[in-house]
Amino acid sequence: MTSPPPSAASVAYVGHATVLVDLDGVRLLTDPLLRNRVAHLRRAAKVDASALRGVDAVLISHLHYDHLDLPSLQRHGREMPVVVPHGAGALIRRKAAVKNVLEMREGEQIEIGALTIRATHAS
């Protein structure tokens, strides 16, 4: 019996809380903050837009302005699946004009491609 091939995985730090996770061919972007400046936060170098192509879903951890940057979120289009904490869906649909918003409660899980995403508590 042969074992399955190892998973292809990479994690790329984009800046602040934004990370691009590529696992088994599924690309997830966390808390996109892609602008050069948001309030007191300033980016040292521009984001390489080509590195952000082919994202399968965006994950939003919480609703602070530096984790939910609406202009950055809008760069991914209206159809991009956006996974948000329960209760945040209406805001994202209204303010970012995103159609495909998936709300999750702690302990729930969803499938995105070959990956299972599970919402956990963080404090």
Side-chain angles (χ1 to χ4, degrees):
M1 175 185 244
T2 61
S3 56
S7 303
S10 70
V11 176
Y13 177 69
V14 178
H16 194 59
T18 309
V19 175
L20 181 62
V21 178
D22 192 336
L23 182 60
D24 288 338
V26 178
R27 292 170 56 91
L28 303 173
L29 188 65
T30 66
D31 296 336
L33 183 59
L34 307 175
R35 296 189 288 158
N36 290 333
R37 181 175 181 183
V38 175
H40 65 283
L41 301 172
R42 294 183 183 173
R43 185 173 295 284
K46 285 191 172 193
V47 173
D48 179 7
S50 67
L52 301 178
R53 289 192 187 115
V55 171
D56 295 296
V58 173
L59 309 178
I60 303 295
S61 63
H62 62 287
L63 303 185
H64 291 166
Y65 71 91
D66 58 331
H67 292 258
L68 173 60
D69 182 52
L70 296 173
S72 295
L73 188 57
Q74 290 169 327
R75 289 178 59 176
H76 294 283
R78 297 180 56 147
E79 301 299 327
M80 173 67 64
V82 178
V83 181
V84 301
H86 177 74
L91 173 79
I92 305 290
R93 287 181 194 95
R94 185 177 68 248
K95 296 286 188 176
V98 173
K99 290 184 184 181
N100 194 359
V101 179
L102 309 165
E103 294 186 47
M104 294 182 70
R105 295 179 189 269
E106 180 181 344
E108 291 182 335
Q109 60 186 42
I110 61 169
E111 305 293 323
I112 298 178
L115 301 182
T116 299
I117 309 299
R118 182 185 321 253
T120 61
H121 177 76
S123 54

